[in-house]
Amino acid sequence: MAGAYHEGTPAVPGGKRPQFGSRFLSDPARVFHHNAWDNVEWSEEQAAAAEKKVRENSTQRVCQEKQVDYEINAHKYWNDFYKIHENGFFKDRHWLFTEFPELAPSQNQNHSADLHTENKRSEVPGCRRSEDGPDLIIDQHKCSSNSLGHKTQTLPVEENVTQKLGHLEICADEFPGSSATYRILEVGCGVGNTVFPILQTNNDPGLFVYCCDFSSEAIELVQTNSAYDPSRCFAFVHDLCNEDKSYPLPSNSLDVIILIFVLSAIVPDKMQKALNRLSRLLKPGGMMLLRDYGRYDMAQLRFKKGQCLSENFYVRGDGTRVYFFTQDELDTLFTTAGLEKVQNLVDRRLQVNRGKQLTMYRVWIQCKYRKPLPSSTGS
Ligand SMILES: C[S@@+](CC[C@H](N)C(=O)[O-])C[C@H]1O[C@@H](n2cnc3c(N)ncnc32)[C@H](O)[C@@H]1O
């Protein structure tokens, strides 16, 4: 199936993960000597062939009636996906902390040095360390607000002073994790491939991790996972496209929001508003982190005619959808949401199936955008 989710390379058994992005293919004759090559340059012919393939597979669009069904029932298609696969896609994601040290800042002594390097790297397209990506690859949590046992902290409220989340009522000054000092939200968390490594790796006592997904099946799998700790984590069902439902936490309350292969799963004309709403939740100085599919990724080229919904947006055989971004599109989305660029990189990786002598060209985009600090006035 085009675009089923599997992560590529497993972690090195018993060893520290090597830095990504350090293996370059200089001699094409050696392509089958390793499983993956980093920062692969595409030839003009290859780029032209990819464009042609996309033109071809986009000629025939899915009919309007089916398009409406995929939109209205999007959560159901993902529920079915998780009913079939459960958490079979759980993979080691320790690359998360190499790429996104913001997820465990106290575990990264060189955090500020890393950020400095990132700023530099963002100016050099294509110059980055790479990583594995997917290819291709609750009901409600019991109210445990203030479960860290800290004093509650009053924060400005987003829209509603009190919001109802199922049977759970959340107030501005008393919401899950209200007393935490470092708050991370993962949107479209699936079965917790990112959340659980964060909880395991980041042992800051002030950490609180929120995670949501519109698939109740996925959230149930997160909540019933033995590593789920309601004193440090709050998993909830939420549709990031739903304008009528607020997040169960106030504006300006989050240090980090992370989106891993989720923005691509929503219909393009709802992406901007979804990001605008998320941006409001960030503290000034807070960061939005994203890793997602890039234009002409192998998964896009593999779609057949009749699976295209709109330009660069496709439906898989199981009814789940996927968009393939350019760096510029993501830059526009984030900056329109009021954020400033820290990093916007393209990761072109060549994965190799040595057994079958197959080559797979992957294109992923990684972004970090920051909410600006209020500018000091009167100086
Ligand atoms: C490709 S999966 C990625 C899951 C997870 N981030 C990971 O990397 O393992 C996309 C996820 O986004 C979720 N999703 C798609 N559209 C959504 C929406 N509108 N609101 C919330 N979650 C959504 C799906 O249920 C699915 O879990």
Side-chain angles (χ1 to χ4, degrees), residues 324-371:
F324 296 88
F325 293 101
T326 63
Q327 287 176 280
D328 284 348
E329 285 171 347
L330 284 165
D331 188 67
T332 303
L333 285 165
F334 285 120
T335 52
T336 306
L339 306 176
E340 54 191 27
K341 182 170 87 174
V342 175
Q343 183 186 78
N344 182 329
L345 305 168
V346 66
D347 178 2
R348 291 184 202 282
R349 175 171 256 243
L350 171 57
Q351 290 178 341
V352 174
N353 182 327
R354 292 201 263 175
K356 295 185 179 160
Q357 297 272 296
L358 288 177
T359 53
M360 294 165 282
Y361 286 88
R362 308 315 316 267
V363 184
W364 295 306
I365 297 181
Q366 182 167 298
C367 294
K368 300 185 187 190
Y369 281 73
R370 183 190 289 129
K371 185 162 177 175

Side-chain angles (χ1 to χ4, degrees), residues 3 5 7 74-75 78-79 81-82 89 93 95 134 137 186-194 212-216 218 238-242 247 258-267 292-293 316 320-321:
Y5 312 105
E7 285 208 41
H75 63 292
W78 278 105
N79 271 341
F81 174 87
Y82 287 115
F89 290 102
R93 272 204 183 157
W95 55 263
I137 59 172
E186 189 193 3
V187 191
C189 61
V191 294
N193 288 343
T194 297
C212 64
D213 200 290
F214 73 170
S215 160
S216 53
H238 185 89
D239 180 346
L240 74 143
C241 295
N242 187 344
Y247 286 88
I258 181 154
L259 302 111
I260 308 262
F261 297 97
V262 60
L263 197 61
S264 56
I266 72 175
V267 66
D292 220 322
Y293 296 101
R316 302 184 181 98
T320 64
R321 298 168 300 171

Side-chain angles (χ1 to χ4, degrees), residues 214-254:
F214 73 170
S215 160
S216 53
E217 290 287 331
I219 292 301
E220 202 176 320
L221 287 163
V222 172
Q223 289 177 325
T224 53
N225 189 306
S226 58
Y228 183 71
D229 175 358
S231 72
R232 301 178 69 216
C233 184
F234 178 60
F236 56 100
V237 176
H238 185 89
D239 180 346
L240 74 143
C241 295
N242 187 344
E243 294 183 44
D244 300 326
K245 202 168 161 211
S246 306
Y247 286 88
L249 61 168
S251 53
N252 301 316
S253 60
L254 292 169

